[in-house]
């Protein structure tokens, strides 16, 4: 597993407490799992995603991620309606490991309230939190 | 240092059944046909399954070779925590295979099944005595099945009271089957943490127990191998709010003849005949999970129950408050015979001795290995003790690495990564059937592995080397499951 | 005692290492008021030789073949088990090993169970079979719960011709839930009446057993079409696995999940247990399956090997969100079934199933000739219902004294069917046995 200094935490996304990330893309928000989470989980074997059209509030469980020996619930960092789902993860769940901020994205959300993004952490804040917990 | 138990030998490769054989071969003696063939309805009949045709020799070689790739209790020490891998007496197998038992049909009139009914009746009596409970049902087919039956009973009890509670308290050290069984019954498990001594505290239970809680599921001794010292007070708190105390009896091997669960506040519990009572694990089952209850819960037991009526035994169904049935027939009878034979062979004194020696063996291992492996709870344990891989962390050697290396030394690894409350847990349960020499050899092997961890950790990362296969790709197996050939 | 190897010296030196004086002191953490102070009141220990005598006496007090001729099935079937199977099943590497959580030293069990999964799937015509469940009844109950999880609906329809004891288990499992069980009645022809399905909505699954409890073969294809129109799942069940050596498999008729009993495949009746719960589904529902699954994979050197897989469904990882609470299964019974299926073979199983069918047909014909009514005219496999004249209980008792068990009375399960008996004929009953039965009931 990576040292904290080795973690990749880009600045174009915001981070939730449970290590989901959210990126503003015009009027929509793309969501995925950050580098710390994928590293902790290890090789991902299965991702269960919601359907297009499902709606969630901020903090609702919207997906599960499985490694061989663990299951992790994922909570949606912003409220909204799912407008796209990364179906590539069905055949290639390992994309979450190899490209957590790119090919390994989970869903795209039509957000209910864009200001919710401000409640999430910046990459610096996320890094500080991880250092503090260590 | 003596030579390692683990060595390499000639074990053969063996293909799949369907990679062998030839169409037209027989492995079965077809019985004589003494009736005319009937025409078949073409709409209903199929092609028959695509099975290979093998000779008897093909089959015997196949399974003989496969058996050689396995390690059982008969091969060597199998110290799996909370599994009680004790020796499986061969006389038990003999009794279970007596034609009068193996050929018995469950639905012939009871008057024709008196032998079997007597075994069931008497085993219930013995288990009542050992547990200090009032009534036993042998119907559940495994420990988890017994837990579920216990949950159904608790649910029925509360329904009769006119209340339906939604929660049940489950300690953080509980086996996964506990919350899973509770959930199958519609209960929401509420986790409660053990204290720094590794046991449940009275305060924690008092803070959690309320009128919407059906009860608590304890394991005693718990999965850290520690006796739940506060059990009586905890039971009192739960009872005071109208709840019931369920005990997971998987660890009963520690306390036979020493503690009677019925005397310390337990209302309902399950036993595992394939753990405490020496029946074999069979590579994953079958087991048997009898459920034992106090008098007030007796009306809810599954039916039919074996009772004595003016001499002979009958299968009685007249229990209107019974939860019904949890299995088609009367339980894993073949397994029941083995447990019965075990209890009749051991007797009261030896059952108590078994528990005492199980606890002695575990404490001996704890003392001998506590310098080598980190011991999170340095206090007297019961029949099992829990270490962690903390001391080996600096060399980046994990519990998994040490477990895999133990195989090369001729031992089955202990339970690993359970209970969850200890990071990198190594749960060792030797049982009473291991001799001091075998235990000393196990201790020696672990010490050697610990020094390998310091001097040559790669040996452990690459382990095992002497088994039929090396470490397996479990990731691809989960990503792209291939479950049939 | 031969299972307790410690000598007095061993105990003494070990106690010294632990730091206590006597065995009793090992229990210092058990509070005094939790200690049982007496001796367990159990019978005195028997020597191995006394145990042999004791158990032999009990086993002799049982009505079994060859002394007794049993014409009973109803969920437990007498079939010949080859000596080779019993012998191989006794290998202690299979018997005394644990669940294969450490796959490197359990490849024997793992390959054997992978082979069982494969043969079971082929027998049932399904894509994936689990490594076993407890019995047919619990398998079926779990299949229904699985269908509920998949469809997210809360009602199931269950045929009244599913084994009555299986239906009682389903009721017990469903009692604490908010799920609803609807019953499908049966027709005079002895098969399930599916006409009412159109009026049922919000069904997760429809469960039908074939051959059903009356021994009649159901049209699973037709039922399945109706079920799928409702967007529900067809759950097929069975109690006599050998039937699929001859009949069209449930999978080939559109079953989505199959939950039934495999005891006929090399497992002795053994007074009802342990049995073999067979559970199978299509691949798309694989992750909703309860119980263990063995998967094929490779090791570090690229060699073929096997592991338990998809474990995140199970209780030890998923805990209260698991697909079931099952931990210990009936692995050794699954192994027996694999050995049996391998022994009988593709050619053999068809001949054996055929023999079962033809023998049962012979008895049916002879009873008809003797003037007894066969109320359900449709095709059966190796079980069928006979209507005996009123007062037959006396004849039944008389036959018991002659060591013939003439079927199972249905009155307890279907009160409308008094004097109806379910008879079973397997390859273990000879023509002479059947002629004797007919002679005796005619008398």
């Amino acid at each position: 597993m990576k040292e904290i200094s080795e973690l990749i935490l880009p600045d174009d996304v915001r981070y939730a407490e449970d290590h989901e990330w959210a990126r503003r893309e015009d009027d929509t928000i793309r969501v995925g799992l950050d580098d710390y989470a994928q590293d902790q989980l290890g090789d991902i074997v299965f991702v269960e995603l919601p359907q297009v059209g499902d709606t969630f509030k901020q903090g609702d469980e919207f997906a599960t991620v499985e490694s061989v020996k663990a299951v992790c619930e994922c909570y949606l960092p912003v409220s909204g309606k799912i407008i796209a789902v990364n179906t590539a993860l069905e055949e290639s769940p390992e994309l979450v490991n190899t490209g957590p901020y790119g090919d390994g994205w989970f869903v795209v959300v039509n957000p209910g309230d864009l200001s919710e993004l401000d409640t999430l952490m910046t990459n610096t804040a996320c890094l500080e939190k991880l250092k503090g917990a260590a | 240092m003596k030579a390692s138990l683990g060595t390499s030998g000639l074990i053969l490769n063996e293909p799949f059944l369907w990679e062998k054989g030839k169409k037209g071969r027989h492995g079965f003696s077809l019985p004589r046909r003494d009736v005319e063939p009937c025409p078949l309805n073409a709409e209903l009949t199929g092609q028959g399954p695509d099975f290979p045709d093998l000779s008897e020799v093909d089959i015997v070689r196949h399974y003989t070779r496969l058996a050689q790739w396995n390690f059982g209790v008969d091969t060597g020490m199998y110290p799996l925590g909370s599994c009680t891998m004790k020796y499986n007496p061969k006389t038990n197998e003999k009794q279970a295979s007596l034609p009068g038992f193996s050929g018995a049909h469950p639905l012939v009139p009871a008057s024709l099944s008196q032998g079997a009914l007597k075994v069931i009746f008497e085993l219930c009596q013995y288990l009542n005595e050992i547990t200090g409970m009032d009534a036993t049902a042998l119907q559940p087919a495994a420990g988890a099945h017994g837990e579920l039956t216990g949950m159904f009973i608790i649910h029925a009890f509360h329904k009769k009271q006119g209340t339906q509670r939604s929660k049940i308290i489950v300690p953080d050290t509980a086996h996964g089957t506990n919350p899973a069984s509770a959930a199958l019954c519609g209960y929401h498990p509420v986790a409660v943490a053990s204290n720094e001594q590794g046991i449940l505290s009275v305060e924690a239970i008092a803070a959690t127990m309320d009128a919407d809680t059906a009860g608590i599921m304890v394991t005693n001794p718990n999965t850290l191998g520690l006796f739940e010292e506060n059990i009586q007070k905890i039971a009192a708190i739960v009872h005071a709010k109208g709840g019931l105390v369920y005990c997971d009896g998987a660890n009963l091997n520690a306390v036979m003849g020493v503690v009677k669960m019925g005397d310390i506040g337990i209302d309902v519990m399950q036993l595992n005949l394939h753990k405490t009572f020496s029946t074999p694990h069979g590579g994953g089952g079958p087991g048997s999970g009898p459920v034992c209850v106090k008098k007030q819960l007796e009306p809810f037991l599954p039916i039919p129950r074996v009772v004595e009526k003016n001499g002979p035994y009958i299968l009685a169904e007249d229990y209107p408050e019974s939860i019904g049935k949890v299995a088609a027939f009367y339980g894993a009878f073949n397994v029941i015979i083995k447990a019965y034979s075990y209890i009749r062979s051991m007797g009261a004194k030896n059952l108590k001795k078994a528990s005492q020696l199980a606890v002695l063996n575990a404490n001996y291992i704890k003392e001998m290995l506590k310098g080598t492996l980190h011991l999170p709870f340095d206090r007297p344990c019961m029949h099992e003790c829990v270490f962690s891989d903390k001391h080996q962390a600096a060399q980046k050697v994990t519990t998994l690495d040490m477990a895999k290396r133990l195989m090369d030394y001729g031992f089955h690894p202990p339970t690993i990564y359970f209970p969850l409350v200890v990071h990198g847990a190594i749960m060792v349960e030797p049982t009473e059937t291991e001799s001091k020499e075998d235990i000393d050899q196990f201790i020696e092997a672990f010490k050697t592995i610990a020094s390998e961890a310091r001097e040559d950790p790669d040996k452990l990362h690459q382990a095992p080397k002497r088994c039929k296969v090396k470490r397996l790709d479990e990731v691809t197996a989960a990503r792209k499951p291939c479950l049939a050939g | 005692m031969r299972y307790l190897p410690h000598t007095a010296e061993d105990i003494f030196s070990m106690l010294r290492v632990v730091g206590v004086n006597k065995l009793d002191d090992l229990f210092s953490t058990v509070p005094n008021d939790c200690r049982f102070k007496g001796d367990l009141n159990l019978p005195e220990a028997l020597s191995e030789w006394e145990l042999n005598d004791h158990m032999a006496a009990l086993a002799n007090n049982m009505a079994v073949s060859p002394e007794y001729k049993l014409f009973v099935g109803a969920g437990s079937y007498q079939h010949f088990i080859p000596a080779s199977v019993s012998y191989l099943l006794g290998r202690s590497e299979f018997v005394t090993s644990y669940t294969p959580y450490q796959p490197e030293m359990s490849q024997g069990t793992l390959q054997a169970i992978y082979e069982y999964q494969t043969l079971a799937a082929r027998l049932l015509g399904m894509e994936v079979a689990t490594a076993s469940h407890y019995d047919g009844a619990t398998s079926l109950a779990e299949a229904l719960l699985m269908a509920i999880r998949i469809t997210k609906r809360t009602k199931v329809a269950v045929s009244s011709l599913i084994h009555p004891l299986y239906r009682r288990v389903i009721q017990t499992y469903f009692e604490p839930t908010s799920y609803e069980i609807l019953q499908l009645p049966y027709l005079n022809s002895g098969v399930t009446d599916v006409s009412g399905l159109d009026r049922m909505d919000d069904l997760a699954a429809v469960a039908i057993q074939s051959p059903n409890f009356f021994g009649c073969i159901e049209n699973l294809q037709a039922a399945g079409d109706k079920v799928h129109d409702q967007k529900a799942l067809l759950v097929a069940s069975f109690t006599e696995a050998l039937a699929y050596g001859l009949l069209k498999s449930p999978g080939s008729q559109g079953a989505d999940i199959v939950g039934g009993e495999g005891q006929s495949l090399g497992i002795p009746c053994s007074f009802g247990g342990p049995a073999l719960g067979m559970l199978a589904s299509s691949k798309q529902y694989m992750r909703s399956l309860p119980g263990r699954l063995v998967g094929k994979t490779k090791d570090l050197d690229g060699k073929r090997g096997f592991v338990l897989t998809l474990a995140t469904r199970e209780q030890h990882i998923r805990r209260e969100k698991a697909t079931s609470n099952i931990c210990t299964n009936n692995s050794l019974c699954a192994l027996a079934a694999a050995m049996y299926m391998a022994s009988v073979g593709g050619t053999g199983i068809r001949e054996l199933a055929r023999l079962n069918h033809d023998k049962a047909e012979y008895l049916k014909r002879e009873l008809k000739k003797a003037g007894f009514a066969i109320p359900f005219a449709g095709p059966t496999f190796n079980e069928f219902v006979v209507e005996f004249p009123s007062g037959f209980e006396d004849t039944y008792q008389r036959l018991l004294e002659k060591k013939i068990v003439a079927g199972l009375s249905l009155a307890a399960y279907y009160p409308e069917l008094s004097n109806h008996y379910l008879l079973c004929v397997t390859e273990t009953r000879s023509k002479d046995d059947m002629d004797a039965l007919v002679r005796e009931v005619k008398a």
Side-chain angles (χ1 to χ4, degrees), chain B residues 77-105:
Chain B
M77 187 169 163
Y78 219 116
L80 278 175
S82 270
C83 295
T84 313
M85 299 297 290
K86 65 170 75 181
Y87 171 69
N88 309 131
K90 305 315 172 204
T91 185
N92 298 352
E93 304 296 311
K94 177 194 169 118
Q95 312 311 337
S97 66
L98 290 171
F101 292 140
S102 64
H105 192 287

Side-chain angles (χ1 to χ4, degrees), chain B residues 213-224:
Chain B
T213 304
I216 184 172
M217 292 178 92
V218 298
T219 305
N220 194 16
N222 68 23
T223 59
L224 289 165

Side-chain angles (χ1 to χ4, degrees), chain B residues 117-278:
Chain B
L117 294 176
K118 185 163 184 175
V119 170
I120 291 174
F121 183 83
E122 290 185 343
L123 182 62
C124 287
Q125 288 187 315
Y126 305 154
L127 296 178
N128 289 343
E129 172 62 20
I130 292 166
T131 57
M133 306 294 273
D134 298 319
T136 294
L138 302 181
Q139 208 178 93
H145 203 205
E147 282 171 45
L148 182 61
T149 306
M151 292 296 106
F152 289 149
I153 289 172
I154 291 175
H155 192 270
F157 170 84
H158 285 298
K159 187 168 182 183
K160 185 175 178 196
Q161 304 289 317
T163 64
Q164 205 38 268
R165 304 187 178 205
S166 67
K167 300 181 286 185
I168 194 150
I169 301 173
V170 180
D172 56 359
T173 50
H175 192 271
T177 51
N178 288 183
S181 303
L184 271 173
C185 202
Y187 286 125
H188 174 66
V190 176
V192 89
S194 311
N195 63 18
E196 321 76 52
Q197 291 171 297
I199 58 174
L200 292 171
S201 72
V202 177
E203 299 74 39
I205 303 305
T208 320
M209 182 63 201
D210 63 19
D212 188 32
T213 304
I216 184 172
M217 292 178 92
V218 298
T219 305
N220 194 16
N222 68 23
T223 59
L224 289 165
L226 306 171
F227 191 81
E228 289 287 359
E229 296 169 38
N230 300 315
I231 182 68
Q232 299 224 61
K233 289 210 187 78
I234 286 171
I237 290 169
V238 172
H239 289 147
K241 294 251 162 86
L244 293 171
V245 181
Y246 181 92
C247 179
D248 181 335
N251 289 333
L252 195 76
N253 205 46
V255 291
M256 289 190 287
V258 178
V259 176
K260 280 196 175 188
M261 294 302 169
D263 294 346
I264 61 171
I266 307 302
D267 300 300
V268 46
M269 66 183 292
Q270 109 289 338
L271 297 167
N272 301 59
L273 297 186
H274 47 293
K275 295 186 180 187
T276 318
F277 297 98
S278 86

Side-chain angles (χ1 to χ4, degrees), chain B residues 342-412:
Chain B
Y342 177 71
I343 293 172
R344 294 307 304 255
S345 301
M346 294 286 275
K349 286 208 195 71
N350 283 319
L351 285 176
K352 181 172 180 175
K353 194 131 193 246
S355 285
Q356 290 174 323
L357 295 175
V359 175
L360 176 64
N361 278 355
N363 276 285
Y364 179 75
I365 289 177
K366 175 173 71 71
E367 287 305 307
M368 295 292 282
L369 278 179
K370 73 183 193 187
T372 310
L373 296 170
H374 171 246
L375 185 69
F377 299 96
D378 193 354
R379 37 197 306 259
C381 63
M382 300 237 80
H383 65 314
E384 60 196 8
C385 57
V386 178
F387 299 99
S388 88
D389 56 359
K390 203 168 176 184
H391 290 340
Q392 284 74 30
Q395 292 93 35
K396 290 206 191 286
V397 164
T398 62
T399 289
L400 186 75
D401 296 325
M402 290 193 279
K404 298 300 182 192
R405 185 60 175 155
L406 256 176
M407 295 184 204
D408 288 336
Y409 282 93
F411 294 94
H412 190 283

Side-chain angles (χ1 to χ4, degrees), chain B residues 30 33-34 43-44 46 50 53 62 70 102 104 129 159 181 258 282-283 323 344 361 404 470 473 485, chain C residues 6 36 41 46 95 97 102 109 115 118 122 172 175 248 270-271 297 299 301 325 347 350-351 358 431:
Chain B
L30 206 60
R33 172 176 274 281
D34 52 6
E43 273 188 30
L44 300 175
D50 179 18
D53 283 350
H62 182 81
N70 258 21
S102 64
E129 172 62 20
K159 187 168 182 183
S181 303
V258 178
I323 57 168
R344 294 307 304 255
N361 278 355
K404 298 300 182 192
K470 300 236 167 64
D473 182 0
Chain C
H6 296 67
F36 170 64
N41 182 15
L46 297 174
V95 175
S97 58
Q102 296 291 359
T109 294
E115 291 172 340
T118 303
R122 292 182 187 186
T172 297
E175 162 61 29
K248 279 190 182 143
S270 207
F271 206 51
T297 185
D299 79 346
D301 289 343
N325 69 341
T347 310
R350 208 170 154 75
E351 288 170 26
D358 297 345
K431 179 171 172 296

Side-chain angles (χ1 to χ4, degrees), chain B residues 89 92-93 95-97 277-280 333-343, chain C residues 55 95 332:
Chain B
N92 298 352
E93 304 296 311
Q95 312 311 337
S97 66
F277 297 98
S278 86
T279 77
F333 183 66
N334 167 294
V335 177
I336 286 164
I337 296 169
K338 296 180 194 182
Y340 177 91
S341 303
Y342 177 71
I343 293 172
Chain C
M55 299 307 281
V95 175
L332 200 65

Side-chain angles (χ1 to χ4, degrees), chain B residues 10-16 20 57-71 468, chain C residues 88 91 93-94 106-109 111-112 115 339:
Chain B
L10 187 63
I11 51 173
L12 306 185
N13 270 319
E14 181 62 16
F16 288 129
K20 293 170 65 131
V57 181
D58 285 331
I59 292 158
V60 173
R61 288 229 170 105
H62 182 81
Y63 287 104
T64 301
R65 288 174 186 169
L66 255 50
Q68 291 177 328
W69 305 347
N70 258 21
F71 185 98
K468 170 79 169 45
Chain C
L88 289 166
R91 291 277 312 204
E93 300 95 326
F94 288 133
S106 320
Q107 288 296 295
T109 294
Q111 175 164 331
E115 291 172 340
M339 290 174 173

Side-chain angles (χ1 to χ4, degrees), chain A residues 46 64 66-71 73, chain C residues 101 287 310-313 317-318 321:
Chain A
F46 184 71
T64 54
E66 293 180 18
S67 65
V68 172
K69 295 273 195 278
V71 184
E73 278 93 23
Chain C
Y101 290 129
R287 282 169 197 281
L310 299 185
T312 45
R313 298 161 302 122
I317 293 176
R318 212 61 184 256
K321 295 194 181 156

